[in-house]
Every structure is written in structure tokens, then in C-alpha cells.
Amino acid sequence: LSAAASVLKTIAAVEGTASAEWEYARAALIALSDQTLTNQTADQLLSEAQPFTATSRNQFDEEQRLVLLRIAIDIATADGTISTDEETALINLGKNLGFDETLIKSLIQRLRGGSTDNEVAEARKVIGVTPEATIGEIRSAYKKLMLKHHPDRVEVKEREEATRISAEINAAYDLLIGRNQTKK
């Protein structure tokens, strides 16, 4: 959690501890802890977190790094906009997480409501989440759907349809967390 706090603090600290971004970072850290942290302990973890560096990234696999970047972008938009300082901090964070600047800018644009609004809306519909859903809610909904529709968990005669549905669920999840951008 302390490594995740470092990532989240990188963006939340841009606007300060009294900002909507800090509140969102605190809530995200609590969610990442499976609700074991209190507001006070999450604030303490964020305040004491060391700066996140590229050498710290090996603590996370690619999906975890992508999820943390996605959460960081959500933090930056907590007040409804991404400032120039926040965008710079996101790009630097993304590079430290091991992602290409083009990918980072694409994710920021997509989550700002870029040219793929219809794709994102459709992906949210497939996963069954609202536009306000957090990354934790998206992951939880994804896991539930995959448990229900995974081809290995259905009768043999239903496997072809389950394979089609699970591919659709995976594609929607990949789009929402930005993983499809890393495959290009």
C-alpha cells in the first residue's frame, strides 16, 4: 500500500491536501486496502509516502501499473478538470510506471471524453457500470461477470456463446482500464 500511496500522492499533491484530488486519492487508497484503512491512516500514508520513481515500478505487474495510472488520471479529474501541472505530473508518473508518453496522453484524452465516447459508453454498458464508477467498481464488476461467463465454468454446449461473451467483457475491461492502448 505504501508504494500505491506514492503513486497516488504524486497527483493528489499537485493541488494540495485540501483539494478534491487529495480526497479522491484518500478514498482510492482506502478502496485499494479493501476498506482496512481509515481516513486518518490513509491521509497519514499519503502524507508520508516517498516520491514514486521508475525504480519503484518493479513492485507492480503491468496491469497493476496500468490500474494505478488510471486511478491517477481519475484523481486529477476529481475537480472536473486536469490542470497543466496535473497533466505534466501524470505524464511524468506514467513514464515512471513504464509507459510511453503517447499512451499516457491517449489515456488522458480518452478519459477526458475524447473521440471515443461511444466506445467507452458501450464498454461501461457491457461491464455494467455507470460513468461515475471507480476503477475498483469496474474491476469488481469485471470479475463477477467473468466468473459467470467464463467458458471453463459453463456446460460444454454453452462454451461457444460463453467464449464470445467473455471476449466482449475482456475487450470492454481492457478499454476502460486502458490496456488496449498498450497492445497497439
Side-chain angles (χ1 to χ4, degrees):
L1 276 176
S2 61
S6 288
V7 172
L8 304 182
K9 179 182 181 178
T10 301
I11 303 307
V14 172
E15 299 289 327
T17 59
S19 66
E21 289 83 354
W22 190 272
E23 288 180 29
Y24 195 101
R26 179 191 320 121
L29 193 56
I30 291 169
L32 288 171
S33 78
D34 292 327
Q35 309 300 321
T36 60
L37 295 178
T38 64
N39 283 342
Q40 184 179 7
T41 55
D43 272 334
Q44 184 176 355
L45 253 177
L46 286 168
S47 295
E48 295 172 357
Q50 297 300 310
F52 186 81
T53 63
T55 57
S56 304
R57 78 170 153 232
N58 63 355
Q59 298 176 50
F60 305 108
D61 65 29
E62 183 182 24
E63 181 177 352
Q64 291 168 329
R65 289 183 288 121
L66 195 51
V67 166
L68 287 169
L69 179 59
R70 172 67 166 78
I71 293 170
I73 295 169
D74 286 349
I75 289 168
T77 60
D79 64 357
T81 185
I82 298 177
S83 70
T84 304
D85 290 342
E86 287 170 326
E87 185 165 347
T88 300
L90 283 168
I91 290 168
N92 290 333
L93 173 64
K95 287 178 180 179
N96 284 339
L97 286 167
F99 298 112
D100 178 73
E101 186 171 337
T102 305
L103 164 73
I104 301 159
K105 287 181 175 181
S106 174
L107 285 172
I108 293 169
Q109 181 60 31
R110 174 168 287 186
L111 295 170
R112 273 185 171 155
S115 61
T116 59
D117 282 347
N118 290 337
E119 291 174 348
V120 172
E122 183 60 30
R124 289 185 183 283
K125 183 178 172 184
V126 168
I127 299 293
V129 296
T130 66
E132 297 80 26
T134 65
I135 194 70
E137 292 167 333
I138 292 168
R139 289 183 81 189
S140 177
Y142 165 77
K143 287 177 183 179
K144 286 179 186 173
L145 285 171
M146 287 307 292
L147 281 173
K148 180 178 178 184
H149 296 287
H150 195 281
D152 292 343
R153 300 180 64 96
V154 298
E155 298 292 325
V156 174
K157 64 183 180 204
E158 298 170 1
R159 284 207 176 127
E160 188 175 323
E161 179 68 5
T163 299
R164 185 192 63 74
I165 292 170
S166 64
E168 186 177 343
I169 294 165
N170 279 322
Y173 179 70
D174 287 350
L175 179 91
L176 292 175
I177 68 164
R179 189 178 330 160
N180 65 331
Q181 295 292 310
T182 64
K183 295 178 180 176
K184 290 184 177 178

